[in-house]
Amino acid sequence: MCGIAGIHAYSPVNQSLYDALTVLQHRGQDAAGIVTEQDGKFFLRKSNGLVRDVFHTRHMTRLKGNTGIGHVRYPTAGSASSAESQPFYVNSPYGIVLAHNGNLTNQQQLVRDLFKADLRHVNTTSDSEVLLNVFAHELQLQGKLQPTEVDIFAAVESLFKRCRGAYAVVAMISGYGMLGIRDPYGIRPLVYGQRTDSRGRTEYMIASESVALDALGFTIIRDVQPGEVVYINAQGELFTKKCGPSLTQTSCIFEYVYFARPDSFIDGSSVYRARVRMGEYLANKIMQEHPEHDIDVVIPIPESSRTSALELANHLGVKFREGFVKNRYIGRTFIMPGQAMRKKSVKQKLNPIGLEFKDKNVLLVDDSIVRGTTCQQIIEMARESGANKVYFASAAPAIRYPNVYGIDMPAKYELIAHDRTDQEVGTAIGADWLVYQDLEDLIKAATPSDEVDGAREFDCSVFNGKYVTGDIDEQYLAALEASRNDSARETKDKEDKSAMIDLHNNA
């Protein structure tokens, strides 16, 4: 999962892009990058690390120009090497930079086609570089010295025919403008908006989440539609066109569960409201399965479960308490590579408040359960703090399948719910009982209030194993599993570190 942003303005955008990436930092903590443009020249700064660590004053002063794009990353394809941080650049045609959120499911075929048919070289294992080269090739085929919006749309239309999977994109074409692209299924989110500068001129912004636009004073126009292109040319004129096939929109439902900030809106649906409803529906299920429950207190596992847990407690008529203090300087354990690092980080990240656990029957609420490692350790903390009984509730259904659309879900055998019943998962994590959200209720929770429940479709593949692009088979999943399991990650991390040492020694 990544965060992307692009701004076309009439004053320098370096600080605005920095601020936007800071707001989107929750979407990726591995690397960050910004490219700006001035007088047909790109200025780039990207590296591994948090936004605040990548960009210092000396870097910001070099990012000149009134148009730019930015990216925050954690790796779902390719390695964690700084060589694969984004945005990516290609010099032909015109000079193009691109930042991408998502995952191409036909990346290997595209790499072969780019080499054999398009005569283009891909230098990394990142599918974002593949996407950039496909776009560059299709734009070059338009054969125009000065491309117009018609040429841009034609190139993207061809890109949609070639690229499968999930992708939300911001890109810049040197001297010609900025564009945003959303895949034909609309799996990954993308929104755009406008604001007026002091001289009455309209400036535009495109980003992964609406909260980034809010923070910079942009008024949201709307979400980029599935298969749509938003193009702002160098003169500041806005053009939009649906260039992709007419497919059923299936936004990723896990955005509402975990990734998106609660103050964001995705496809017209409030993430906060969705999480409130998750808590409501989960409380109803607990009352059905455990009508005579003896819960004394509901405690959320910070941060993203707090909204659901509070609503759950209200509906159960049980006290809500903050039982864990979070160290805000530790990254999100779900997106940390390596099991050893995840285990170590849990106790560094959370510390229990003993008074809220001692001699109480506690219901812990989390947004989801992936590997189960974090849940297991937190339940142990609760018992060590004197809890009498420890129950557990997940605001999401059981995750039984890997994600192929840009969320770094592990190999399926590393998912604790894969090939286990709910009761077996509860036993494995050490809970006295466990309750999962029902998928039907999660879908209702994420559906906007002005739509009929069940009228909207979502990508729920991590819960039901149904991959909406229709090109995922066991062979693909086996290859994905081989690249995503912890052993493969640890090997790749060692290779990346060795490469960096060699680079330093040869410098």
Side-chain angles (χ1 to χ4, degrees), residues 219-269:
T219 300
I220 296 167
I221 298 175
R222 60 179 173 83
D223 294 275
V224 178
Q225 298 303 301
E228 186 180 29
V229 186
V230 174
Y231 174 56
I232 303 101
N233 67 16
Q235 292 72 45
E237 298 174 297
L238 174 70
F239 303 89
T240 66
K241 184 179 180 181
K242 184 173 174 60
C243 298
S246 297
L247 302 174
T248 301
Q249 179 170 353
T250 49
S251 306
C252 175
I253 203 164
F254 210 73
E255 291 278 355
Y256 300 92
V257 172
Y258 178 80
F259 271 107
R261 277 183 35 161
D263 45 345
S264 284
F265 282 77
I266 297 177
D267 293 317
S269 183

Side-chain angles (χ1 to χ4, degrees), residues 43-76:
F43 300 88
L44 166 67
R45 168 61 181 170
K46 63 178 181 177
S47 185
N48 279 4
L50 300 175
V51 174
R52 69 184 182 215
D53 299 322
V54 171
F55 301 101
H56 300 154
T57 301
R58 65 183 184 276
H59 305 126
M60 296 295 289
T61 57
R62 297 170 189 161
L63 293 172
K64 303 174 183 178
N66 301 340
T67 302
I69 63 174
H71 186 269
V72 287
R73 174 185 190 252
Y74 87 89
T76 57

Side-chain angles (χ1 to χ4, degrees), residues 433-500:
W433 50 252
L434 165 68
V435 172
Y436 277 112
Q437 184 83 263
D438 288 333
L439 181 56
E440 295 78 8
D441 286 340
L442 178 61
I443 291 172
K444 287 194 295 183
T447 300
S449 56
D450 59 350
E451 294 183 16
V452 177
D453 288 341
R456 178 173 295 208
E457 294 188 23
F458 295 91
D459 166 51
C460 304
S461 53
V462 297
F463 307 122
N464 60 17
K466 297 178 181 178
Y467 298 100
V468 298
T469 53
D471 58 340
I472 306 303
D473 55 22
E474 288 302 320
Q475 183 179 359
Y476 181 93
L477 292 175
L480 188 71
E481 183 173 302
S483 67
R484 283 188 176 180
N485 64 63
D486 281 333
S487 176
R489 292 173 193 276
E490 290 168 5
T491 299
K492 188 62 180 175
D493 287 343
K494 290 178 182 178
E495 291 174 354
D496 290 339
K497 290 176 182 177
S498 177
M500 291 300 292

Side-chain angles (χ1 to χ4, degrees), residues 325 327 330-331 333 336 339-351 373-378 381:
V325 175
N327 181 347
I330 298 292
T333 54
M336 285 185 174
Q339 186 76 344
M341 186 181 293
R342 283 188 296 271
K343 285 184 177 180
K344 180 180 178 181
S345 69
V346 172
K347 291 194 175 182
Q348 292 177 332
K349 179 179 178 180
L350 296 176
N351 194 48
T373 307
T374 301
C375 303
Q376 185 178 25
Q377 292 186 65
I378 290 174
M381 289 184 204

